[in-house]
DNA sequence: TTCAGGAATGAAAACGTTTACATTCCGTGC
DNA sequence: GCACGGAATGTAAACGTTTTCATTCCTGAA
């Protein structure tokens, strides 16, 4: 292994000068600097991070503790974090796919002493968990977590705002009786989405709501659709708490020969990749996941720089309504004319 | 910051004993060990990775250098790597989304001195690149890269074998005239897939092939479909080099009222998530991405343990044909009865 | 009682780097 | 010609941990 000493010998200077030349330019003659750089290149010298960290007390790395995430969401989140981290010269230590709190705890502990800060996203994490497994001295930002830990900054998705925006959009289209397919009971996102819908309906004269149980699965959306069809009168619109349920509901409606959006409008939440391929393409709420990661990292860096300020704030990332064809309306029905029929396999 | 010295003082022993007690159990009295553990817990001591690495000359971390990958593929790959890494007590340093060779070079250089080994997947990487930017001493495994660097182990996807298997499957169903929609010119995967198809057709009496240009985009698949429809006689089957093109082709066929699979069979490659939602669900070749990551990490660990053996081998991960409905046949048409029509938005 | 020998623990070196402080060197003003 | 000052470079301490070697302590055999 080639160390700074080897470079020093090769360039006939002291290690201190090598260090100065190779790091930020202190005062070192252009000639010596060039000589040192040549020597370093010739020897293929790469500084050992550990030694550097030991003395600078900085690892130049941040950790990301993530739960078991599905395709799109995970990739985009990491992309957002990674890109932002790179602009700060930070490395990214990833620990993902934690099924339960114990796994998360082990991972979180293992990270400490190797990173300058942590991004934590986990359903298992609460104030007690953090106090137990995370040193107070290490900066951390919580992603998409209930603001139950008042001493740490949070960056959350604005589920409620998104649901509000979508509901307003539906109302603006003239829909009055709207059915809402709920997400799973315990789920916080689901609860917030419902609340956004609820609020908006309550604030709007003449609007009526109906609630159907669901659990985020396509199956449950399908059942909700059947339940609606069984009623004597269809609502004007259906707003599902996520896209999968919207798709399930769409199946039920299609099966019954009910036209979307002509006879009933349909909206989802998440903007999963398939959403643009359904027929009609699904109007839904888009969450900018990469942005979420980006924002979280920036918040963490800010926290790392002002070590003294354990300011605990909550940033919420806005969601936007993506208008496609499933709610009818003035949508720019920009279809290419090509159609694919899709059927669910299982 | 609480160090090992603090723990030593607290437990009234020397730092050496603390180290011994906390690491693998050397010989230390149960009583002292307990005392030390209590002290460490009380003080919330976490060993500093850098200091440890400095003396052990191990970082207990591996790096993953990845290109700009899309949803599913990226998540699964990381999952596979991460899970395998965890079983070895290794941390995972991720650096992704590299657009060009220069970015990859910077990232690769930055990683060195912080990891014990690297997993590299990048279209920009070749032997010259590695020799220039990667120290010989650091173990590395190349993922899904052309085996152009003979001194490093590779773990690749068996594109050729997958294409072969699918072609055999189509032939077994009785299809004889098969059209192949090619991937982009320069693409290695695409070339291998074509080769697998070609070989199998050539080896089969009475089989005939026809080749259509494509570039992996849905659009190009649609064009290929139109081209087929323009001919005087449809082939028995179409095998697209990826799912997106298969879906594009399906659009064209649907539009023309051609029934899939009754009038023509259709197969894809990749098994992207949407593949199971098309109508009919798409028979395709599944790549076990998580397994790929897993295998690559295991190979890297092996390489790291036997430092002296720079054995350069190529592991290929098998692909498997996933039978759905788009090729007709004895497929277990296990549809749930629910159908979603899908249309492409843009 | 003495001493050998082994088990538990301590002292200190080493790891590669940064950086405060010391040293050298050179030019400039007197 | 000398002292002074500043720029360039060198010396050595420090970072927190592991580990080799030394030391202490205890047990049991002679």
């Amino acid at each position: 292994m080639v160390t700074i000493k080897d470079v020093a010998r090769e360039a006939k200077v002291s290690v201190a000068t090598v260090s100065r030349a190779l790091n930020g330019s202190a005062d070192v003659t252009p000639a010596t600097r060039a000589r040192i750089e040549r020597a370093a290149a010739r020897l293929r010298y790469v500084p050992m991070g550990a030694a550097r960290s030991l003395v600078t007390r900085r690892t130049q790395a941040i950790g990301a503790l993530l739960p078991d995430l599905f395709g799109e969401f995970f990739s985009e989140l990491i992309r957002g974090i990674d890109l932002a981290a790179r602009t700060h010269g930070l490395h990214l230590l990833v620990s993902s796919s934690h099924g339960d709190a114990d796994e998360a705890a082990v991972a979180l502990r293992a990270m400490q002493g190797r990173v300058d800060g942590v991004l934590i996203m986990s359903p298992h994490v609460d104030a007690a968990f953090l106090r137990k497994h995370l040193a107070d001295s290490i900066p951390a930002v919580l992603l998409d977590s209930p603001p139950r830990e008042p001493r740490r900054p949070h960056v959350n998705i604005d589920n409620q705002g998104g649901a509000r925006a979508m509901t307003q959009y539906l109302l603006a289209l003239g829909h009055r009786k709207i059915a809402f397919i709920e997400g799973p009971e315990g789920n916080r996102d689901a609860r917030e989405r419902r609340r956004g819908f609820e609020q908006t309906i309550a604030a709007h004269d003449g609007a009526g709501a109906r609630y159907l149980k669901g659990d985020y699965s396509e199956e449950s959306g399908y059942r909700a659709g059947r339940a609606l069809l069984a009623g004597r009168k269809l609502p004007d619109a259906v707003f599902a708490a996520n896209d999968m349920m919207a798709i399930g509901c769409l199946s039920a409606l299609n099966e019954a020969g009910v036209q979307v959006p002509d006879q009933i409008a349909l909206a989802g939440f998440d903007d999963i990749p398939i959403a643009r391929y359904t027929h009609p393409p699904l109007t839904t709420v888009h969450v900018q996941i990469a942005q979420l990661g980006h924002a979280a990292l920036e918040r963490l860096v800010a926290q790392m720089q002002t070590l003294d300020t354990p300011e605990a704030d909550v940033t919420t990332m806005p969601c936007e309504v993506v208008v496609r064809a499933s709610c009818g309306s003035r949508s720019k029905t920009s279809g290419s004319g090509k159609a694919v029929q899709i059927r669910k396999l299982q």
Side-chain angles (χ1 to χ4, degrees), chain A residues 235-256:
Chain A
D236 301 328
V238 181
F239 180 10
N242 79 344
D243 286 348
M244 283 316 283
M245 294 196 299
I247 288 174
C249 182
L250 182 56
S251 301
L253 296 172
N254 274 337
E255 242 178 53

Side-chain angles (χ1 to χ4, degrees), chain A residues 3-314:
Chain A
T3 78
I4 200 174
K5 280 186 188 169
D6 302 314
V7 180
R9 196 177 325 113
E10 179 85 3
K12 303 200 192 309
V13 290
S14 72
V15 291
T17 309
V18 175
S19 179
R20 280 188 280 252
L22 261 31
N23 292 340
S25 41
D27 24 26
V28 31
T29 288
T32 13
R33 179 189 304 278
R35 189 152 39 94
I36 290 171
E37 276 167 357
R38 272 201 311 277
R42 203 170 329 133
L43 266 48
R44 305 271 212 80
Y45 168 67
V46 302
M48 183 173 176
R52 189 192 296 232
S53 294
L54 184 58
V55 51
T56 61
R57 332 208 16 86
R58 295 232 129 206
T59 62
Q60 303 287 25
I62 69 111
L65 186 74
L66 304 172
D68 216 338
L69 288 170
F70 42 95
E72 185 76 347
F73 198 96
F74 180 82
S75 317
E76 284 298 295
L77 187 61
I78 296 282
R79 178 199 306 276
I81 297 174
D82 188 18
L83 255 35
R86 207 173 307 164
T87 69
H88 291 281
L90 292 170
H91 290 263
L92 176 60
L93 211 61
V94 170
S95 186
S96 63
S97 306
H98 300 290
D100 56 47
D102 285 343
E103 275 183 27
V106 170
L108 185 55
R109 283 179 171 280
M111 265 186 183
Q112 287 171 78
R114 328 189 112 259
V115 297
D116 296 335
V118 236
L119 254 29
I120 302 178
M121 171 166 172
S122 169
H124 319 297
V125 163
D126 56 16
F129 181 95
L130 286 186
R131 257 188 286 276
K132 187 158 177 199
H133 302 292
L134 183 64
D136 296 317
S137 60
I138 171 167
V141 169
L142 276 64
L143 262 87
D144 199 30
S145 308
R148 243 182 282 152
E149 163 57 285
R151 305 181 319 182
R152 303 282 192 180
H154 291 249
V155 178
N156 286 352
I157 292 172
D158 190 9
N159 286 296
Q160 199 167 335
R164 230 184 290 127
M166 177 59 85
T167 313
Q168 271 155 6
Y169 170 72
L170 291 172
L171 289 168
L173 289 178
H175 304 305
R176 285 298 169 270
K177 302 297 170 202
I178 308 181
F180 185 84
I181 309 181
E182 305 180 58
E185 296 274 348
N187 191 293
R188 187 180 53 88
D189 297 323
R191 203 163 46 236
E192 290 176 1
R193 290 172 188 187
R194 181 190 151 127
R195 197 172 307 144
F197 169 77
E198 220 167 20
Q199 283 179 350
T200 314
I201 291 293
H204 193 100
D205 282 346
R210 176 177 171 191
Y211 297 91
L212 298 158
K213 292 288 174 210
D215 58 8
Y216 273 170
S217 75
E218 198 208 353
E219 187 63 30
S220 72
Y222 179 79
R223 280 197 304 269
R226 300 286 302 201
L228 282 176
L229 290 161
R232 72 172 55 200
K233 193 156 172 307
L234 281 178
D236 301 328
V238 181
F239 180 10
N242 79 344
D243 286 348
M244 283 316 283
M245 294 196 299
I247 288 174
C249 182
L250 182 56
S251 301
L253 296 172
N254 274 337
E255 242 178 53
V258 173
Q259 292 295 320
V260 176
D262 299 339
Q263 297 177 256
I264 189 170
L266 178 65
F269 203 116
D270 279 348
D271 194 22
I272 60 179
I274 325 179
R276 69 183 56 196
Y277 293 103
T278 57
H279 174 76
L282 189 65
T283 289
T284 182
V285 180
H286 182 79
V287 181
Q288 293 193 319
I289 308 168
Q291 296 254 27
L292 178 73
H294 185 278
L297 188 113
E298 290 297 339
R299 184 63 191 81
L300 180 61
V301 167
Q303 166 95 337
M304 280 161 43
Q305 278 161 358
T306 70
L307 323 96
D308 46 324
T309 328
E311 188 104 25
D313 43 49
V314 177

